[in-house]
């Protein structure tokens, strides 16, 4: 449960961007393919109404890749920050669905954005964006000036479209932020990274195969580890749930978000939710929900924002961010 030393060189978010494939798959579309499911069941049990996907049931990926979505989101974030590409010092890309085993997808993204800088991928499943944020703050503490942090997944490529237990849950997308060094402590007030490899059997995907999941067990553990991680970050930051203006949880299931918020004592009107429109986009879910809340003007200078994710591994990660930073 690390506290951020007062002497640390800080960072703030100065730009953000998102990208979703054009192709939309509704719950009714899924039922129409012959999957034994219904819009009513999916909405009631998960909160998901539709998702964006690049490919479907073996059809070619007509609408992008992990790299192309990352490039689109990253470009927006760099433009919003008012930067030229050459000013970026590193790309940290969280993905669990890289386009190839080697090289890292971040190398393709670097080339696509016309950058010349360090570039590497992180895989911590759905907690990956939050892991990447912590790593990027660490790079800035060690002297980097500007980091592009991206969370992208194309889970449609590793989804078994015949399995109603998983097919209704997942979608594709990307979200990116630019982190820039500032004088003083910056925005990161507390953070926590966790993993429990003994739980890996509940959600996994062998290379070249599709995801396998024990949904009930993942659900049960997800609530517990999200709450644990969020509490550790809040303790590290010296704040309580009452101080949190906005919680940006991993978008896996509306009931998981509600259960975690209830246990933390955070009302749902302080939660960022895009799950109904995106499904579970893994690494992209937290930056997509964060960007949505920022675009809607839900966060002001000085507000505390809790990012909290969980995922296969089973990993969990959280950060407390003070919007705009502090000296
Ligand atoms: O990033 C992390 C990724 N994973 C997760 O976050 C998953 C966490 N788990 C969940 O979100 C939930 O466990 C699910 C949404 C996967 C399942 O919801 P549930 O309320 O735990 O349902 P269940 O597995 O207990 O199934 C209840 C019933 C079963 O039928 P019977 O045995 O009661 O007759 C299932 O066969 O619902 C059936 N069912 C479905 N029915 C219609 C399961 N999936 C579907 C479906 N459509 N898609």
């Amino acid at each position: 449960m690390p506290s951020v030393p007062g002497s640390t060189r800080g960072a703030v978010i100065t730009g953000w961007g998102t990208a979703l494939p054009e192709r939309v798959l509704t719950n009714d579309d899924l039922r129409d393919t012959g999957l034994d499911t219904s819009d009513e069941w999916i909405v009631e049990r998960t909160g998901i109404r539709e998702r964006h996907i690049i490919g479907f049931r073996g059809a070619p990926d007509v609408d992008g890749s992990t790299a192309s979505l990352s490039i689109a989101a990253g470009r927006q974030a760099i433009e919003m920050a008012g930067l030229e590409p050459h000013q970026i010092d590193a790309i940290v890309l969280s993905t669990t669905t890289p386009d190839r085993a080697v090289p890292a997808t971040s190398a393709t993204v670097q080339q696509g954005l016309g950058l010349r800088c360090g570039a590497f991928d992180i895989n911590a499943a759905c907690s990956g964006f939050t892991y990447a944020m912590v790593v990027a703050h660490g790079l800035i503490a060690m002297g980097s000036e500007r980091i592009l942090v991206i969370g992208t997944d194309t889970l449609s490529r590793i989804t078994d479209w015949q399995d109603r237990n998983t097919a209704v849950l997942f979608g594709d997308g990307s979200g990116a932020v630019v982190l820039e060094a500032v004088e003083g402590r910056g925005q990161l007030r507390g953070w926590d990274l966790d993993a429990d490899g003994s739980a890996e059997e509940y959600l996994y995907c062998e290379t070249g195969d599709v995801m396998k999941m024990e949904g009930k067990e993942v659900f049960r553990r997800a609530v517990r580890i999200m709450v644990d991680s969020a509490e550790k970050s809040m303790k590290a930051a010296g704040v309580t749930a009452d101080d949190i203006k906005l919680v940006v949880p991993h978008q896996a299931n509306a009931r998981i978000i509600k259960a975690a918020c209830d246990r933390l004592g955070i009302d749902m009107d302080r939660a960022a939710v895009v799950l109904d429109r995106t499904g579970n986009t893994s690494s992209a879910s937290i930056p997509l929900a964060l960007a949505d809340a920022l675009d809607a003007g839900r966060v002001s200078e000085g507000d505390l924002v809790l990012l909290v994710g969980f995922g296969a591994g089973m990993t969990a990660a959280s950060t407390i961010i003070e919007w705009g930073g502090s000296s």
Side-chain angles (χ1 to χ4, degrees):
M1 189 203 326
S3 297
V4 182
S7 57
T8 296
R9 183 163 178 270
V12 295
I13 292 172
T14 56
W16 57 90
T18 60
L20 293 169
E22 273 174 33
R23 186 193 306 197
V24 175
L25 193 66
T26 66
N27 294 342
D28 285 342
D29 291 337
L30 278 167
R31 182 209 53 204
D32 291 347
T33 64
L35 200 65
D36 181 13
T37 191
S38 65
D39 179 59
E40 191 188 5
W41 191 95
I42 301 169
V43 172
E44 190 186 308
R45 298 294 181 114
T46 72
I48 298 166
R49 293 179 184 278
E50 61 186 33
R51 67 289 290 147
H52 295 245
I53 54 164
I54 60 170
F56 187 51
R57 289 172 92 101
D61 296 344
V62 293
D63 203 11
S65 61
T66 293
S68 72
L69 292 171
S70 303
I71 290 165
R75 185 172 286 130
Q76 275 178 28
I78 293 171
E79 277 172 18
M80 185 175 187
L83 297 174
E84 295 296 326
H86 70 266
Q87 293 176 286
I88 298 292
D89 291 330
I91 298 174
V92 186
L93 170 62
S94 161
T95 186
T96 202
T97 46
D99 291 331
R100 291 179 286 184
V102 173
T105 303
S106 49
T108 314
V109 174
Q110 184 220 44
Q111 169 71 9
L113 288 171
L115 313 186
R116 187 61 192 264
C117 60
F120 59 98
D121 291 5
I122 282 183
N123 178 355
C126 307
S127 307
F129 179 80
T130 312
Y131 264 73
M133 285 288 277
V134 172
V135 169
H137 279 88
L139 288 174
I140 285 181
M142 290 191 293
S144 287
E145 291 292 336
R146 296 167 206 91
I147 313 265
L148 179 60
V149 184
I150 309 176
T152 308
D153 268 304
T154 49
L155 294 178
S156 66
R157 298 194 294 192
I158 57 166
T159 296
D160 178 355
W161 292 107
Q162 324 281 350
D163 173 15
R164 69 176 183 174
N165 293 302
T166 51
V168 301
L169 300 177
F170 301 112
D172 303 336
S174 177
V177 299
V178 169
L179 274 186
E180 291 194 60
V182 289
E183 293 297 323
R185 188 170 60 165
Q187 66 182 15
L188 188 64
R189 295 274 302 270
W191 57 277
D192 173 65
L193 303 181
D194 186 34
D196 174 8
S198 72
E200 66 177 26
E201 68 195 91
Y202 301 121
L203 177 54
Y204 65 92
C205 178
E206 299 293 352
T207 306
D209 201 1
V210 290
M211 282 180 284
K212 307 273 174 17
M213 183 181 76
E214 282 188 36
K216 273 203 178 313
E217 191 59 28
V218 172
F219 191 120
R220 202 173 61 77
R221 287 169 184 262
V223 175
R224 196 175 68 219
I225 63 180
M226 278 173 91
V227 170
D228 274 3
S229 185
E231 283 176 344
K232 284 179 185 156
S233 279
M234 288 192 289
K235 191 164 179 207
V239 303
T240 68
D242 288 345
D243 301 317
I244 302 296
K245 176 71 188 300
L246 182 76
V247 54
V248 186
H250 172 45
Q251 312 280 303
N253 184 319
R255 291 185 295 138
I256 294 177
I257 295 174
K258 171 87 169 66
C261 284
D262 284 352
R263 289 199 199 173
L264 287 167
I266 296 177
D267 346 306
M268 279 299 282
D269 60 8
R270 283 191 279 154
V273 178
V274 293
L275 175 76
D276 50 325
R277 292 163 272 158
T278 62
N280 177 350
T281 57
S282 192
S283 290
S285 90
I286 287 180
L288 284 171
L290 176 65
D292 187 73
L294 293 170
D295 289 340
R298 293 180 68 187
V299 182
S300 309
E301 188 97 7
D303 285 346
L304 295 183
V305 179
L306 164 64
L307 309 186
V308 57
F310 71 91
M314 282 188 68
T315 57
S318 58
T319 59
I320 306 287
I321 284 172
E322 180 176 346
W323 192 252
S326 64
S327 48

